[in-house]
Amino acid sequence: MTPTTVRRINWVGGIFTVLTVIIAVLWAFPIYWGIVSSLKPEDEVVRPYIELWPETLTFRHYWFALTQTQIGSWYINSVVTAVGVTVLTVSTSLFAGYAISQLRFPGRTVLWWLILASFMVPTQVLIINHFVLMANMSLLNSWAGIILPQLIHPVIIIVYKQFFDQVPKDFREAAAMDNASEWNVLFKIYIPMNWGVTTALSIVTFIWAWNAFLWPFLAVTRTEMMTITVGITQVYDAFGVYYAQQLAAAVLAGIPVALAYLLFQRKVTQAITLSAGIKG
Amino acid sequence: MTPTTVRRINWVGGIFTVLTVIIAVLWAFPIYWGIVSSLKPEDEVVRPYIELWPETLTFRHYWFALTQTQIGSWYINSVVTAVGVTVLTVSTSLFAGYAISQLRFPGRTVLWWLILASFMVPTQVLIINHFVLMANMSLLNSWAGIILPQLIHPVIIIVYKQFFDQVPKDFREAAAMDNASEWNVLFKIYIPMNWGVTTALSIVTFIWAWNAFLWPFLAVTRTEMMTITVGITQVYDAFGVYYAQQLAAAVLAGIPVALAYLLFQRKVTQAITLSAGIKG
Amino acid sequence: MSEIRLNNVSKSFGGVQVIDGISLEIGSGELVVFLGPSGSGKSTLLRMIAGLETIDGGTLTIGGKRSEHLAPGQRDVAMVFQNYALYPHMSVRENMAFGLKNIRMATSEIDRRVQDAARILEMDALLDRRPAQLSGGQRQRVAIGRAIVKEPAAFLFDEPLSNLDAALRVRTRVELAELHQRMQSTMVYVTHDQTEAMTLADRIVILNNCRIEQIGTPMDVYLYPSSRFVAGFVGSPGMNFLKAELSATDGKQIATLGNGSDVALSVDLPPGAYELGIRPEAVQVRATPAATTGKAAVVEKLGDRTLVHLHLDDGTSLTALDGGRSEVKPGDIVHLDFDISQLHLFDSDGVAHHAK
Amino acid sequence: MSEIRLNNVSKSFGGVQVIDGISLEIGSGELVVFLGPSGSGKSTLLRMIAGLETIDGGTLTIGGKRSEHLAPGQRDVAMVFQNYALYPHMSVRENMAFGLKNIRMATSEIDRRVQDAARILEMDALLDRRPAQLSGGQRQRVAIGRAIVKEPAAFLFDEPLSNLDAALRVRTRVELAELHQRMQSTMVYVTHDQTEAMTLADRIVILNNCRIEQIGTPMDVYLYPSSRFVAGFVGSPGMNFLKAELSATDGKQIATLGNGSDVALSVDLPPGAYELGIRPEAVQVRATPAATTGKAAVVEKLGDRTLVHLHLDDGTSLTALDGGRSEVKPGDIVHLDFDISQLHLFDSDGVAHHAK
């Protein structure tokens, strides 16, 4: 009964093919071009036309980034803050998602609307507020200052709520018949039944946190406290604007994410599709 | 047969309640505080402690934003670019999602992976590239320059693919028995069956585009070409840093989104839950 | 010692009464089936016994213990869910042990009970598998095993066969009957399938519109339905209903059908309009002229018997049961006799009166 | 003029042969049922006729026209899908008109056909509703209507009743039979439900493991199954299978059962080990000593008849069919006779031999 529909690749399919190949090229080009540019001497990069391959191949921008900058400290700062954001966000979201999905308590609906509404707040409003708040709390230029304002990820609560909602209520009732306490229901039934979601959300949160730019950029002014994504923008401060050098640093900053991607390829795909509404 | 489970609000539920109320307050507070601060005189805002209500209530920051800035042009720029981004993104994503979901063509899998992978590219790499590209194409300080780099929203393609995947293949087969062409299948069956998704994605894309900051900030240097989100950051340029004035401008910038939110409340919620993986 | 007593229990959802003062006694060791269409309240009633729905009024006694305010886990009942609700991340063994671990039972006792249940249900080999590795029938068995290990006062089954295919359903039905004979435990079983109810029940409780229509043994309910609803709901193929005018001539009672045929019968009823109910097996197809005639529209050969769907002259539909090798063909005019001992009359309120 | 001819058609999915050289002729106006368990290839075969699956080898002729390379819409067949596949955003009228609009038929002709189909199916009042506003039975009717308006050479039904509840399924089955009698059109009907096949088919094609096991009228297939598979698949309750040792004494043939009882029968077979097949209705429960005895384990009262599940001395299971008011109780020792005209013997290859 294996179903395979007869799908005719007719001329309509042909047009789609051509279109999609064009889109694919447009998509992949910036990445390719970024890497190629980082291997060009600075004067080649700023030429006012597009060259697909360096005339002179050079690795000195990489050498510069690795030896002349505080890239080591930046990596550590990025790892600490990204892991902190991931652990705190996922664990609190898990509880919040469970409470909203499964418990009936006063204010539940209001809380849910608040979480949905927090999507709608323009980032700048929050950022300015966060800045003033963090300044008042003297947390600028600290790990806590980078981490705290990044903990608001309503999407993770929503995904958890969604997945907990989808657990058939039979399981909850079977657990009630089985004398399970609320903690047992959460830790023995709901979380294990949704391990995949937790792993996937953790990976994607880590990647988000690693790539975060705007807030770390505002929250940190001391070079040694910068995360890698902020640090790489400092590469030009000392010597003026050098695109190729910046691109080399950006490639270096992206390496852990690329590695994570290659290592957890299936989980990452699952995470992306998850947060895009595709069940794993 | 209406099922209502007996959900005991025991002490565990109590703890959750307290926790969630705390979280709710933490969440709502920045928004409240932002609005309140915009109604304070500048010297009250910068006091190094937190005041929940202005000593002196003033609307002059709003008056200033409306009369002393180019907020009218900024609104127009925001509307044009947000609408442009929305229409172009949704329509191309719709085709791409349909092709990937329903057609079998060479390179389909590669394209799909590319779209998933494009989630993983650090924003900075793209932003720098985009900047150089747009500069080379002389599109900085133009609507096209603001719109084009914002058209990459893989999540919308993914959501469309997801929804088209979920259309039972019976409909495709029924349409084949009904002599429908590929265009008919798309425009008469798949799109109408997913109107809700299209509306919801359009609204959410519009809000994203309206709230976009980083790229418009880089792409535009001439004050009259700025979008409102960028424009409001210029409020302080002329007169030094005034937090309350900035907040007032931010509140003004947020009004259309807030209005859209109130008008299309159900659709917006649907859109958010959609892109978070909750089916409408 | 493990009987269940419901005394005037009621429940409403958002102002709508869904269970309206039901009283019922289920004897120790008895298998009682709640039968009714969807929306009749049968599942709600079961869930009220289980503790998964609150009881708004009345009392519930399980094994002599007042239970309406107890949590589900404390009522000494075990439930088999329609979708089995086996925890997918636990092995069969862990699924069965979960409830016992939660009450901190000794591991050795848990092991003993799991082994015993596995032996009874012949699933020793499955203990270390995950639910996903089991067939539908095996899952069903594990769900029963999870109930058995609790050694409860009563078992509650919520449409346990509805997810199995037809052939497996028939087989599992027989297995359940054997299991009940062996274990002699109190069981409450909810279904909308009248065949399951007929074949499994010691007594059937027929529910309709949130109230009890009839309580009785399967054959009581089949032969002496208390109302038109019960008569129509129980039995497959369903009972035939014909418009009839009752009159008395010479001290004999006559029901005149829509096509003018007369059927003599004996009931204590005033003359007037009634509905005449007769089961297909009491409508006999004859080769020679008989009580009335009809035209065969559709003939369904089931192998061991044949269903003849007929139209009388006035258009009334009627189904007759004939032998497996029936010669009737669509379009034939056939003669029909009625077994007058199996006639029922229903008055305008739907109340049944049975022919003597 | 609208017959369907399959000549040696075959199909494979990823190297696995799923249809292996099937030849079949479906006459004009005939209702042929493809019956088989899931995975037997019955749906694939239907979809190959429809054009929804490619045909890898062999030829397909529909109404005299070679069709194996035509697109589904060009084969002059209409299909009723299992889940109906009604376009949810279109009204019933638009659903029915969609296929006609796509071939640019004149609006007046479309209207006429939709009206005609609505009249035939008695759903004039539903034309402006959306599918979501219809009941399951009504949707099913619309799906049939969408097929009728195309006035196709043949109708293809893919398990059309499987989404209806039991009572509605029985009723719709009769309606489908009436529709076929009225329209006299060629119909191919796929099901895994042997009752549907028995009651609807002019001929049944029984598929198993991607090949045809038997083709015949329902009663042929029921009374003279060609193989053990067919014997076990058709009929409910299913045929009993007993181990038997065939021997010849004094020119008479005797089958000795596992419990030592002898059954005399007449077949042209060499002595040896066989499986004896006998349907429950051919096993008669007697009050007086008879061919053999068994112990009743489970007694299922269906109302009009009773299924007695028995165990013989040697543990063999056996089901007998008794009357609705059977007196047999679980645990009773009962006497059994076999109707020797309804005995079948199956050899080790599963081939059937029927008693004379």
Side-chain angles (χ1 to χ4, degrees):
Chain A
M1 306 263 278
T2 329
T4 58
T5 313
V6 179
R7 300 182 201 249
R8 287 160 297 154
I9 305 178
N10 48 19
W11 60 273
V12 181
I15 290 178
F16 273 116
T17 309
V18 172
L19 276 176
T20 47
V21 168
I22 292 172
I23 294 171
V25 170
L26 286 176
W27 218 289
F29 178 70
I31 301 168
Y32 167 80
W33 196 62
I35 294 172
V36 165
S37 296
S38 72
L39 299 170
K40 295 177 182 173
E42 205 58 61
D43 59 326
E44 274 188 44
V45 177
V46 294
R47 289 185 190 163
Y49 44 87
I50 294 168
E51 283 172 310
L52 289 179
W53 192 248
E55 259 179 54
T56 323
L57 195 72
T58 172
F59 287 94
R60 70 181 151 91
H61 307 304
Y62 287 92
W63 181 246
F64 174 84
L66 288 171
T67 57
Q68 304 295 310
T69 68
Q70 303 195 33
I71 203 162
S73 310
W74 299 343
Y75 260 115
I76 291 170
N77 294 331
S78 275
V79 168
V80 170
T81 55
V83 168
V85 166
T86 305
V87 170
L88 289 172
T89 304
V90 171
S91 54
T92 55
S93 300
L94 188 155
F95 278 102
Y98 182 77
I100 291 169
S101 165
Q102 298 294 321
L103 304 177
R104 294 291 168 273
F105 53 88
R108 182 179 148 277
T109 316
V110 173
L111 178 63
W112 176 234
W113 275 95
L114 214 60
I115 288 168
L116 291 179
S118 65
F119 257 98
M120 292 298 101
V121 182
T123 325
Q124 321 78 258
V125 176
L126 281 179
I127 292 250
I128 299 167
N129 270 289
H130 288 153
F131 187 82
V132 180
L133 269 173
M134 289 297 123
N136 284 351
M137 293 162 80
S138 302
L139 288 174
L140 295 179
N141 283 312
S142 76
W143 285 342
I146 299 173
I147 291 172
L148 286 178
Q150 291 194 66
L151 297 184
I152 300 178
H153 272 305
V155 70
I156 298 183
I157 298 181
I158 295 172
V159 170
Y160 266 120
K161 174 184 184 289
Q162 151 81 340
F163 273 79
F164 290 150
D165 279 353
Q166 282 176 352
V167 173
K169 71 172 174 43
D170 283 9
F171 288 106
R172 189 174 191 77
E173 295 183 345
M177 300 298 290
D178 273 347
N179 268 303
S181 67
E182 198 68 52
W183 290 113
N184 265 350
V185 173
L186 173 56
F187 287 104
K188 297 280 178 67
I189 314 278
Y190 278 72
I191 297 182
M193 280 181 74
N194 290 286
W195 262 134
V197 189
T198 301
T199 330
L201 287 177
S202 300
I203 294 169
V204 98
T205 309
F206 178 82
I207 294 174
W208 279 343
W210 183 274
N211 282 341
F213 174 78
L214 195 55
W215 173 249
F217 173 75
L218 295 173
V220 176
T221 49
R222 281 162 51 204
T223 312
E224 74 275 16
M225 284 309 295
M226 286 174 179
T227 62
I228 186 117
T229 51
V230 178
I232 56 170
T233 65
Q234 301 303 307
V235 172
Y236 71 129
D237 268 1
F239 304 87
V241 178
Y242 291 123
Y243 285 123
Q245 242 164 41
Q246 273 195 58
L247 286 169
V251 170
L252 287 176
I255 283 175
V257 170
L259 275 182
Y261 188 50
L262 288 175
L263 284 175
F264 302 106
Q265 193 165 307
R266 268 190 53 201
K267 275 285 160 207
V268 173
T269 319
Q270 196 193 356
I272 296 164
T273 50
L274 257 184
S275 56
I278 302 173
K279 269 170 261 97
Chain B
M1 310 262 275
T2 328
T4 58
T5 314
V6 179
R7 299 182 203 248
R8 288 160 296 154
I9 304 179
N10 47 18
W11 61 273
V12 180
I15 291 178
F16 273 116
T17 309
V18 173
L19 275 177
T20 47
V21 167
I22 292 172
I23 294 171
V25 169
L26 286 177
W27 217 288
F29 179 69
I31 302 168
Y32 168 80
W33 198 62
I35 295 173
V36 165
S37 295
S38 72
L39 298 169
K40 294 177 182 174
E42 207 59 61
D43 57 328
E44 274 187 46
V45 177
V46 293
R47 289 183 191 163
Y49 43 87
I50 294 167
E51 284 173 310
L52 290 179
W53 192 248
E55 259 179 53
T56 323
L57 195 72
T58 172
F59 289 92
R60 71 181 149 90
H61 306 306
Y62 287 92
W63 182 247
F64 174 84
L66 288 170
T67 57
Q68 302 296 310
T69 68
Q70 302 196 35
I71 202 163
S73 309
W74 299 342
Y75 260 115
I76 291 170
N77 293 331
S78 274
V79 168
V80 170
T81 54
V83 168
V85 167
T86 305
V87 170
L88 290 172
T89 305
V90 171
S91 55
T92 54
S93 300
L94 188 154
F95 278 102
Y98 182 77
I100 292 171
S101 166
Q102 298 294 321
L103 305 176
R104 294 290 168 271
F105 52 87
R108 182 179 148 276
T109 316
V110 173
L111 179 63
W112 177 233
W113 275 95
L114 213 61
I115 289 168
L116 290 179
S118 65
F119 257 98
M120 291 298 102
V121 182
T123 325
Q124 321 78 259
V125 176
L126 281 179
I127 292 249
I128 299 167
N129 269 290
H130 287 153
F131 187 81
V132 180
L133 268 174
M134 289 298 124
N136 282 352
M137 293 162 80
S138 303
L139 288 174
L140 295 180
N141 283 311
S142 77
W143 286 341
I146 299 173
I147 291 171
L148 285 179
Q150 292 193 67
L151 297 184
I152 300 179
H153 273 303
V155 70
I156 299 183
I157 299 180
I158 295 172
V159 170
Y160 265 120
K161 175 184 183 289
Q162 152 81 340
F163 273 79
F164 289 151
D165 279 353
Q166 282 177 353
V167 173
K169 70 174 176 44
D170 282 10
F171 289 106
R172 191 174 190 77
E173 295 184 345
M177 300 298 292
D178 271 348
N179 268 304
S181 67
E182 198 68 53
W183 290 113
N184 265 350
V185 173
L186 174 56
F187 286 104
K188 297 281 179 65
I189 313 277
Y190 277 73
I191 296 183
M193 279 182 74
N194 290 287
W195 261 134
V197 189
T198 300
T199 331
L201 288 177
S202 300
I203 294 169
V204 99
T205 309
F206 177 82
I207 293 175
W208 281 343
W210 183 274
N211 282 340
F213 174 77
L214 194 55
W215 173 249
F217 174 74
L218 294 174
V220 176
T221 49
R222 281 162 51 205
T223 313
E224 74 275 16
M225 283 311 294
M226 287 174 178
T227 64
I228 186 117
T229 51
V230 177
I232 56 170
T233 64
Q234 301 304 307
V235 172
Y236 71 129
D237 269 1
F239 304 86
V241 177
Y242 291 124
Y243 285 123
Q245 241 164 43
Q246 273 195 59
L247 286 169
V251 169
L252 287 177
I255 283 175
V257 169
L259 275 182
Y261 188 49
L262 288 174
L263 285 175
F264 302 105
Q265 192 165 306
R266 267 190 54 203
K267 275 285 161 208
V268 173
T269 319
Q270 195 193 356
I272 296 164
T273 50
L274 257 183
S275 56
I278 302 172
K279 270 170 258 96
Chain C
M1 90 297 194
S2 53
E3 79 290 346
I4 297 173
R5 235 179 244 123
L6 296 162
N7 185 21
N8 199 28
V9 298
S10 61
K11 167 147 199 82
S12 50
F13 285 128
V16 181
Q17 198 81 6
V18 291
I19 294 292
D20 189 2
I22 282 184
S23 296
L24 181 64
E25 197 161 321
I26 296 165
S28 183
E30 198 180 15
L31 196 164
V32 167
V33 173
F34 293 171
L35 173 68
S38 69
S40 61
K42 58 187 191 305
S43 271
T44 307
L45 195 56
L46 187 82
R47 292 163 57 82
M48 284 162 75
I49 297 174
L52 297 172
E53 302 282 359
T54 53
I55 295 178
D56 294 350
T59 63
L60 167 68
T61 316
I62 297 173
K65 191 165 148 207
R66 278 286 291 275
S67 300
E68 70 268 23
H69 295 302
L70 295 180
Q74 290 156 1
R75 294 195 182 190
D76 201 14
V77 295
M79 183 145 166
V80 176
F81 290 85
Q82 183 169 6
N83 301 310
Y84 317 141
L86 302 177
Y87 312 121
H89 55 291
M90 299 185 195
S91 68
V92 168
R93 187 192 303 279
E94 289 164 342
N95 261 286
M96 289 164 75
F98 185 65
L100 306 181
K101 277 187 194 154
N102 285 332
I103 53 169
R104 312 211 189 294
M105 187 179 281
T107 316
S108 57
E109 174 65 8
I110 295 180
D111 282 350
R112 190 190 61 74
R113 290 196 182 186
V114 169
Q115 292 300 340
D116 282 1
R119 200 169 22 73
I120 291 172
L121 298 167
E122 295 167 17
M123 54 174 200
D124 304 72
L126 308 178
L127 283 179
D128 293 314
R129 298 216 193 142
R130 293 286 176 90
Q133 297 167 302
L134 303 177
S135 70
Q138 290 171 330
R139 279 179 216 183
Q140 218 267 348
R141 223 173 263 232
V142 174
I144 293 173
R146 190 168 63 174
I148 287 178
V149 293
K150 292 184 193 159
E151 300 181 356
F155 291 89
L156 310 177
F157 292 89
D158 190 5
E159 311 221 11
L161 305 185
S162 59
N163 282 327
L164 303 178
D165 69 33
L168 192 55
R169 192 151 49 211
V170 171
R171 215 175 326 136
T172 312
R173 205 171 70 199
V174 176
E175 284 177 9
L176 269 180
E178 281 189 296
L179 187 71
H180 177 241
Q181 282 172 26
R182 197 134 32 99
M183 299 189 40
Q184 290 297 337
S185 39
T186 312
M187 292 184 177
V188 186
Y189 187 107
V190 161
T191 185
H192 65 271
D193 181 322
Q194 60 88 28
T195 311
E196 276 172 39
M198 287 292 291
T199 55
L200 281 173
D202 290 324
R203 281 191 302 154
I204 300 181
V205 176
I206 295 176
L207 288 143
N208 186 32
N209 283 330
C210 318
R211 58 187 191 81
I212 293 178
E213 285 268 344
Q214 187 170 6
I215 303 180
T217 65
M219 286 314 283
D220 265 358
V221 165
Y222 186 82
L223 295 174
Y224 308 108
S226 67
S227 67
R228 188 181 182 303
F229 172 80
V230 174
F233 196 73
V234 173
S236 174
M239 188 183 274
N240 295 298
F241 295 102
L242 310 166
K243 297 231 167 296
E245 194 67 33
L246 192 66
S247 57
T249 323
D250 304 337
K252 286 159 77 179
Q253 282 174 300
I254 301 287
T256 309
L257 302 183
N259 69 345
S261 304
D262 285 346
V263 180
L265 77 172
S266 157
V267 281
D268 292 329
L269 283 174
Y274 292 88
E275 258 191 309
L276 182 90
I278 182 161
R279 295 207 178 270
E281 69 265 27
V283 180
Q284 290 134 359
V285 175
R286 297 273 183 249
T288 52
T292 191
T293 56
K295 187 175 174 189
V298 172
V299 177
E300 297 194 302
K301 297 208 163 238
L302 297 168
D304 59 331
R305 56 215 167 107
T306 302
L307 293 177
V308 183
H309 301 275
L310 303 140
H311 295 302
L312 302 189
D313 295 348
D314 61 330
T316 314
S317 293
L318 188 70
T319 302
L321 192 65
D322 202 8
R325 300 179 186 216
S326 169
E327 311 257 289
V328 181
K329 281 176 199 53
D332 285 1
I333 303 293
V334 295
H335 303 285
L336 303 170
D337 251 352
F338 298 131
D339 177 347
I340 57 165
S341 71
Q342 293 190 53
L343 291 176
H344 313 271
L345 286 174
F346 303 94
D347 61 28
S348 56
D349 295 329
V351 177
H353 308 272
H354 309 294
K356 276 167 241 170
Chain D
M1 90 298 191
S2 53
E3 80 290 346
I4 298 174
R5 233 178 246 124
L6 296 162
N7 185 20
N8 199 28
V9 299
S10 60
K11 169 148 197 79
S12 50
F13 285 128
V16 181
Q17 197 82 4
V18 291
I19 294 292
D20 189 4
I22 282 184
S23 296
L24 181 65
E25 196 160 322
I26 296 165
S28 183
E30 197 180 16
L31 196 164
V32 167
V33 173
F34 293 172
L35 174 67
S38 69
S40 61
K42 58 188 191 304
S43 272
T44 307
L45 195 56
L46 186 82
R47 292 163 57 82
M48 284 161 75
I49 297 174
L52 298 172
E53 302 281 358
T54 54
I55 296 177
D56 295 349
T59 62
L60 166 69
T61 315
I62 298 173
K65 190 167 151 207
R66 279 286 289 274
S67 300
E68 69 268 23
H69 295 301
L70 294 180
Q74 291 156 359
R75 293 195 183 191
D76 201 14
V77 295
M79 182 143 166
V80 176
F81 290 85
Q82 183 169 7
N83 301 310
Y84 318 143
L86 302 177
Y87 312 121
H89 55 291
M90 299 185 194
S91 68
V92 168
R93 188 190 303 278
E94 288 164 343
N95 260 286
M96 289 165 75
F98 185 67
L100 306 180
K101 277 188 193 153
N102 285 333
I103 54 170
R104 312 208 189 296
M105 186 179 281
T107 315
S108 58
E109 174 65 7
I110 294 180
D111 282 350
R112 190 191 61 74
R113 289 196 182 187
V114 170
Q115 292 299 340
D116 282 1
R119 200 170 22 73
I120 292 172
L121 298 167
E122 295 166 18
M123 53 175 201
D124 304 71
L126 308 178
L127 282 179
D128 293 315
R129 298 218 193 140
R130 294 286 176 89
Q133 299 167 301
L134 303 177
S135 70
Q138 289 171 331
R139 280 179 216 182
Q140 218 268 349
R141 222 172 265 231
V142 175
I144 294 173
R146 188 167 65 174
I148 287 178
V149 293
K150 292 183 192 160
E151 300 181 357
F155 291 89
L156 310 177
F157 292 89
D158 190 5
E159 312 221 11
L161 305 185
S162 59
N163 283 326
L164 303 178
D165 69 34
L168 192 55
R169 192 151 50 211
V170 171
R171 212 174 330 134
T172 312
R173 204 171 71 198
V174 176
E175 285 178 9
L176 269 180
E178 281 188 296
L179 187 71
H180 178 240
Q181 281 172 28
R182 197 135 32 98
M183 298 187 43
Q184 290 297 337
S185 38
T186 312
M187 293 184 176
V188 186
Y189 187 107
V190 162
T191 184
H192 65 271
D193 181 323
Q194 61 87 28
T195 311
E196 276 172 39
M198 288 292 291
T199 55
L200 281 172
D202 290 325
R203 280 191 303 153
I204 300 181
V205 176
I206 295 177
L207 288 142
N208 186 34
N209 283 330
C210 318
R211 57 187 192 81
I212 293 178
E213 285 268 345
Q214 187 170 6
I215 303 179
T217 65
M219 286 315 282
D220 264 359
V221 165
Y222 186 82
L223 296 174
Y224 308 107
S226 67
S227 66
R228 188 179 182 306
F229 172 80
V230 174
F233 196 74
V234 173
S236 174
M239 187 183 276
N240 296 298
F241 295 103
L242 310 167
K243 296 231 168 298
E245 194 67 34
L246 192 67
S247 56
T249 322
D250 305 336
K252 287 160 78 180
Q253 282 173 302
I254 301 286
T256 308
L257 303 183
N259 68 346
S261 305
D262 286 345
V263 180
L265 78 172
S266 157
V267 281
D268 292 330
L269 281 174
Y274 292 89
E275 259 191 310
L276 181 90
I278 183 160
R279 296 207 177 269
E281 70 266 26
V283 180
Q284 290 134 359
V285 175
R286 297 270 184 251
T288 52
T292 191
T293 57
K295 185 175 175 189
V298 173
V299 177
E300 297 194 303
K301 296 209 162 238
L302 297 168
D304 59 331
R305 56 212 168 110
T306 302
L307 292 178
V308 184
H309 300 276
L310 303 140
H311 293 302
L312 302 188
D313 294 349
D314 62 328
T316 313
S317 294
L318 188 70
T319 302
L321 192 65
D322 202 8
R325 298 178 188 217
S326 170
E327 312 258 290
V328 181
K329 282 175 196 56
D332 286 2
I333 303 293
V334 295
H335 303 285
L336 303 170
D337 251 351
F338 298 131
D339 178 346
I340 58 165
S341 72
Q342 292 189 55
L343 290 176
H344 313 272
L345 286 174
F346 302 96
D347 61 27
S348 55
D349 296 330
V351 177
H353 307 273
H354 309 293
K356 276 169 240 167

